Amino acid sequence: MSKFFSNKYKALTPYTPGEQPTEMKYIKLNTNESPFPPSKKAIELGAKALESLELYPDPECGELTRALAEYYEVDPECVLVTNGSDEILNFAFMAFCDKEHPCAFADITYGFYKVFAELNGIPYREIPLKEDFTIDPADYMGTDETIFIANPNAPTGIALPRDTIEEIIKSNPNRIVVVDEAYVDFGGESCVPLTKKYDNLLVTQTFSKSRSMAGARLGYGIASKELICDMNTIKYSTNPYNINRATMYAGLGSLIEQEYTDKNCQTIIENREYTAKELKGLGFYMTDSKTNFLFAAHPTLEGGKLYRELKAKGILVRHFDKERISNYNRITIGTKEQMKALIDTVKVIMEEAK
Ligand SMILES: *Cc1c(COP(=O)(O)O)cnc(C)c1O
């Protein structure tokens, strides 16, 4: 740390992204990317946009905003497109929380919530998940805090029904509820329709997972006009051109070719069920995942050891060195071939451990 670093940030612990190794080719099941390339239309429109890089992009990201609005059947003024959904989550912390208006989220959830709270000097409360890693909705009712819920949750993969989230929204009319739906396309129930009914709900989604576009950095939020307007104030005070030209057009291409995303999600769900069954056959236990990953542990094969041995054999998964979940690994669902390789390698590791 330099002597020039602002006192404001000295105590900040930044987010630790999953490994993105460049030194060798792993079977990469550690950061919940899609194993499939982006849609052809996304590649085509994104590449075409590179021909006009001398020009700033549209600060309103109008074409994509309108396309998303049409897809979700909401007003374009109720949509805000951002540089990954991480950006809109940060906007939400900045716009809707402060020292007097603290926030709350689960003790085991997306690690960035805590970082954004600390970055922005916002007091936060971590609400413990139940023993089985499910959320107790009662813990979130009427707390008068800004609530952040990943639904389905990460890294547990567990989803709450829309009705339950609606109860939480209703119980907290004076504070915002942010529902992070990064994984909703893999079997969850989206709360987007509720944004028309409640002025205190923000739903965020991303092109990073189901749409195979993690490298493009594209996310968005859907909420009432007023909430979107507040977050636009933050956007235009930090980075008005937050979406680059190629990303915007690639996003449009992805929406045009919606059936490609739907098919890929279906394949991931099938591969997830296959992998879950195989791992259970080997004695693993796991949560009921509605995402593109499994959260699994074994009674005799320690989580950290499994992570290290898989890595040594060329397969990367995500291990969190955190109390309560240190025996688990989060395994991204890839192609059928990748999942077969994972199962075979786990079998070898279990043989060797005998
Ligand atoms: C991946 C992820 C995000 C952010 O993804 P972006 O790539 O920034 O769009 C947000 N929330 C959760 C729970 C995630 O897993």
Side-chain angles (χ1 to χ4, degrees), residues 15 31-32 82-89 109-113 150-155 180-183 204-209 213-215 217-220 293 330:
Y15 178 72
T31 47
N32 297 343
T82 55
N83 193 302
S85 56
D86 287 339
E87 188 178 47
I88 197 158
L89 290 167
T109 188
Y110 188 40
F112 230 136
Y113 303 153
N151 192 44
N153 196 11
D180 175 351
E181 296 188 346
Y183 298 104
T204 67
Q205 292 194 9
T206 177
F207 281 66
S208 294
K209 278 103 189 197
M213 284 178 49
R217 311 307 305 128
L218 188 58
Y220 51 96
F293 58 83
R330 191 192 68 189

Side-chain angles (χ1 to χ4, degrees), residues 171-182:
S171 78
N172 219 16
N174 297 318
R175 304 302 309 153
I176 307 281
V177 176
V178 180
V179 182
D180 175 351
E181 296 188 346

Side-chain angles (χ1 to χ4, degrees), residues 45-309:
L45 295 189
K48 180 111 186 57
L50 296 177
E51 292 166 13
S52 314
L53 278 193
E54 76 278 17
L55 301 173
Y56 279 107
D58 170 14
E60 290 178 9
C61 208
E63 277 178 84
L64 180 57
T65 302
R66 286 189 293 276
L68 281 166
E70 194 174 311
Y71 181 70
Y72 289 104
E73 300 177 341
V74 297
D75 193 293
E77 290 180 317
C78 298
V79 179
L80 177 61
V81 184
T82 55
N83 193 302
S85 56
D86 287 339
E87 188 178 47
I88 197 158
L89 290 167
N90 189 32
F91 287 174
F93 278 94
M94 292 174 78
F96 307 122
C97 311
D98 55 38
K99 283 220 160 51
E100 291 74 43
H101 301 103
C103 59
F105 38 82
D107 64 336
I108 299 166
T109 188
Y110 188 40
F112 230 136
Y113 303 153
K114 191 173 169 168
V115 177
F116 285 140
E118 286 177 359
L119 174 72
N120 295 301
I122 298 158
Y124 61 89
R125 186 168 67 95
E126 292 179 280
I127 305 176
L129 295 180
K130 289 197 282 191
E131 202 54 50
D132 62 358
F133 297 142
T134 57
I135 280 177
D136 184 349
D139 291 342
Y140 294 76
M141 302 281 185
T143 70
D144 206 33
E145 292 158 311
T146 301
I147 303 283
F148 288 80
I149 298 184
N151 192 44
N153 196 11
T156 65
I158 300 170
L160 282 175
R162 177 163 49 221
D163 292 351
T164 307
I165 303 260
E166 182 165 9
E167 291 307 313
I168 295 171
I169 297 164
K170 275 200 234 168
S171 78
N172 219 16
N174 297 318
R175 304 302 309 153
I176 307 281
V177 176
V178 180
V179 182
D180 175 351
E181 296 188 346
Y183 298 104
V184 77
D185 294 338
F186 302 104
E189 246 185 326
S190 176
C191 286
V192 166
L194 298 180
T195 59
K196 291 184 191 167
K197 210 165 143 191
Y198 298 97
D199 63 2
N200 64 326
L201 167 65
L202 166 64
V203 177
T204 67
Q205 292 194 9
T206 177
F207 281 66
S208 294
K209 278 103 189 197
S210 59
R211 293 184 181 274
S212 304
M213 284 178 49
R217 311 307 305 128
L218 188 58
Y220 51 96
I222 300 177
S224 73
K225 264 189 230 177
E226 290 76 19
L227 295 190
I228 296 298
C229 177
D230 293 342
M231 288 188 291
N232 262 317
T233 301
I234 308 285
K235 167 185 144 168
Y236 283 97
S237 307
T238 51
N239 189 9
Y241 301 110
N242 61 339
I243 308 299
N244 74 69
R245 221 164 238 289
T247 289
M248 188 193 90
Y249 282 101
L252 258 183
S254 170
L255 287 173
I256 291 169
E257 217 174 332
Q258 180 59 36
E259 52 309 336
Y260 176 75
T261 296
D262 295 343
K263 183 182 85 172
N264 286 345
C265 290
Q266 206 41 53
T267 306
I268 294 293
I269 291 169
E270 284 163 23
N271 294 354
R272 177 183 75 208
E273 298 316 307
Y274 161 79
T275 310
K277 188 160 160 272
E278 292 290 316
L279 287 176
K280 282 177 189 165
L282 296 173
F284 282 81
Y285 51 94
M286 65 203 70
T287 53
D288 177 22
S289 171
K290 294 281 184 278
T291 62
N292 66 340
F293 58 83
L294 289 172
F295 195 54
H298 193 274
T300 57
L301 195 57
E302 195 266 317
K305 181 173 150 79
L306 176 62
Y307 158 77
R308 286 186 300 275
E309 301 217 348

